[in-house]
């Protein structure tokens, strides 16, 4: 039996510049961190030639040959089936899928699903894969095989973990640079961040599709706004590495104001109301995570103001989610051949002298 785990992420600035329509013209950059909310893949051996995929509310029970020829769209389990088709191996397993985060909340959960399943299956098949190749392969499964309008940042954040500055070159190559700051400063940054669920989820595909169209056509203010959020991601990196958290909070607000100019669908009256309420109570900056339109509201708020911000948002019916930074990225956390007598599992062991 194998159990894989992949984190979701918070993007601070640069979202949208990781879409091919933008980075293929200008190059993109994102500042983000993985957090300790996970998607889990539990793989167990079967002996009847079947592949069973079970999520919280959906189930597929087919042979590998059936899955290989299956149309993905409308199955409800497009991502796991697309990964199974991509690994292209006649296996007989159970895949149980579980997530701590619902879809459509702006934390990159879809990418975490794809990265996590791919990591678990390649481990099971004894096909070692680097973090970079894991992220790139998961991106191409989602973008090219499923035809979804997604950027590159989420897969890299999930695969690598940690607080990173991620650069997207015009040729599609991607560079992940960990932000190197002292442990105490990293803890202070984490302590100054708050996440609140706005009570609405959304599918980002429509927003990102329209954004790509306007970017390619240079319509409206999208391109200029994306130039600004890319620059702000770089500036936020600089102030973080200089240890200036106060400046980071202010830049987070600037980045949010710029991001809203990319598309009218990124914010709405409820989000604007909650954000301004938090700002009046002492939050220095913030943003909606992900493509926008709903999901989680991220706030930068010094500890002395967090109580009044929390009370004000709770009075609006908004729930806070506690979290911490995550540095491990996608990994297999259990690899045990004894649970289901599977000769494929537990193929690599590390012995520690006693």
């Amino acid at each position: 039996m194998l159990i894989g785990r992949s984190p979701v992420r918070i993007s601070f600035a640069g979202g949208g510049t990781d879409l091919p329509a933008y980075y293929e013209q200008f190059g993109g950059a994102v500042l983000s961190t993985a957090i300790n909310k996970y998607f889990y893949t539990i793989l167990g051996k079967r002996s009847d030639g079947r592949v069973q995929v079970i999520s919280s509310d959906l189930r597929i029970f087919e042979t590998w040959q059936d899955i290989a020829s299956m149309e993905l769209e409308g199955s409800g389990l497009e991502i796991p089936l697309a990964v199974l088709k991509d690994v292209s191996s006649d296996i007989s397993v159970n895949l149980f899928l579980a997530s701590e985060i619902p879809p459509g909340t702006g934390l990159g959960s879809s990418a975490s699903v794809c990265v996590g399943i791919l990591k678990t299956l390649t481990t099971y098949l004894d096909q070692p894969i680097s973090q970079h190749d894991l992220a790139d392969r998961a991106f191409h499964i989602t973008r090219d095989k499923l035809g979804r309008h997604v950027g590159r940042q989420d897969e890299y954040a999930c695969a690598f973990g940690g607080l990173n500055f991620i650069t997207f070159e015009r040729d599609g190559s991607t560079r992940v640079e960990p932000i190197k700051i002292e442990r105490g400063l990293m803890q202070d940054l984490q302590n100054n961040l708050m996440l609140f669920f706005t009570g609405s989820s959304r599918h980002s595909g429509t927003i990102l599709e329209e954004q790509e169209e306007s970017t390619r056509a240079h319509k409206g203010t999208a391109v200029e706004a994306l130039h600004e959020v890319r620059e702000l991601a770089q500036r936020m990196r600089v102030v973080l590495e200089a240890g200036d958290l106060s400046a980071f909070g202010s830049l987070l607000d600037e980045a949010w104001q710029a991001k809203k100019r990319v598309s009218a669908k990124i914010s709405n009256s409820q989000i604007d109301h909650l954000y301004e309420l938090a700002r009046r109570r002492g939050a220095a900056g913030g943003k909606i995570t992900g493509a926008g339109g709903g999901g989680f509201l991220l706030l930068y708020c010094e500890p002395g103001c967090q109580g009044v911000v929390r009370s004000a948002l709770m009075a609006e019916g908004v729930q806070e989610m506690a979290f911490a930074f995550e540095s491990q990225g996608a990994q297999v956390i259990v690899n045990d051949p004894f649970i289901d007598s599977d000769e494929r599992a537990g193929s690599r062991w590390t012995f520690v002298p006693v």
Side-chain angles (χ1 to χ4, degrees), residues 100 115 176 189-190 274 276 328:
E100 296 183 62
V115 167
V176 179
L189 173 62
Q190 177 184 292
L274 294 173
E276 291 307 318
Q328 300 301 310

Side-chain angles (χ1 to χ4, degrees), residues 18-64:
D18 62 319
L19 289 164
Y22 183 87
Y23 70 68
E24 287 174 356
Q25 297 183 74
F26 311 106
V30 167
L31 178 68
S32 71
T33 185
I35 63 172
N36 65 341
K37 301 297 177 183
Y38 299 100
F39 171 79
Y40 295 90
T41 304
I42 303 172
L43 183 152
K45 178 184 177 181
R46 296 182 67 91
S47 57
D48 59 359
R50 295 281 183 172
V51 176
Q52 180 171 232
V53 182
I54 301 175
S55 69
S56 59
D57 55 354
L58 294 168
R59 177 177 179 269
I60 292 287
F61 184 63
E62 301 286 353
T63 65
W64 157 249

Side-chain angles (χ1 to χ4, degrees), residues 287-327:
K287 66 186 291 286
I288 283 292
T289 59
F296 279 90
L297 175 64
L298 171 71
L299 297 172
Y300 181 92
C301 187
E302 299 284 346
C305 299
Q306 289 184 6
V308 291
V309 169
R310 183 177 292 112
S311 296
L313 293 183
M314 286 179 63
E316 297 286 326
V318 177
Q319 182 179 3
E320 184 179 9
M321 183 180 77
F323 71 95
F325 291 167
E326 199 275 353
S327 61

Side-chain angles (χ1 to χ4, degrees), residues 72-259:
L72 298 176
E73 188 174 353
S75 68
L77 289 168
E78 290 91 348
I79 294 176
L81 294 181
V83 177
L84 282 164
K85 288 165 74 78
D86 185 74
V87 299
S88 189
S89 180
D90 188 357
I91 56 177
S92 180
V93 295
N94 288 316
L95 287 177
F96 297 94
L97 314 177
S99 178
E100 296 183 62
I101 297 293
T105 51
L107 298 177
S109 57
S110 293
S112 183
V113 171
C114 192
V115 167
I117 296 172
L118 184 58
K119 175 66 175 178
T120 304
L121 284 173
T122 53
T123 300
Y124 183 70
L125 295 170
D126 196 20
Q127 298 173 357
I129 188 169
S130 69
Q131 291 171 308
H132 190 283
D133 288 344
L134 174 64
D136 191 62
R137 189 169 168 184
F139 168 74
H140 284 293
I141 289 172
T142 307
R143 179 89 188 185
D144 300 331
K145 297 192 175 182
L146 291 177
R148 297 187 179 183
H149 291 270
V150 296
R152 282 184 172 271
Q153 65 159 313
D154 292 352
E155 286 80 5
Y156 282 86
C158 295
F160 280 80
L163 174 62
N164 301 301
F165 189 78
I166 310 175
T167 305
F168 311 98
E169 304 294 348
R170 295 184 184 185
D171 63 0
S173 60
T174 303
R175 184 170 67 254
V176 179
E177 300 174 88
I179 301 298
K180 298 178 181 179
I181 58 178
E182 294 181 356
R183 181 177 299 179
L185 184 68
M186 185 77 79
Q187 186 65 50
D188 288 342
L189 173 62
Q190 177 184 292
N191 292 343
N192 291 350
L193 296 172
M194 308 175 78
L195 270 178
F196 294 89
F197 184 51
T198 63
S200 62
S201 60
R202 84 291 173 268
H203 294 289
S204 60
T206 301
I207 296 175
L208 295 177
E209 182 178 6
E210 291 182 3
Q211 185 176 315
E212 288 208 273
E213 290 176 357
S214 61
T215 301
R216 285 198 175 94
H218 289 252
K219 294 190 298 185
T221 62
V223 172
E224 289 72 21
L226 288 169
H227 289 341
E228 187 173 351
V229 298
R230 181 189 60 185
E231 178 188 352
L232 283 161
Q234 177 64 55
R235 290 171 60 190
M236 291 169 77
R237 174 189 186 177
V238 171
V239 300
L240 271 183
E241 293 178 335
D244 191 347
L245 294 185
S246 178
F248 177 86
S250 298
L251 290 173
L252 191 61
D253 175 64
E254 286 189 45
W256 173 235
Q257 303 306 327
K259 185 65 180 291

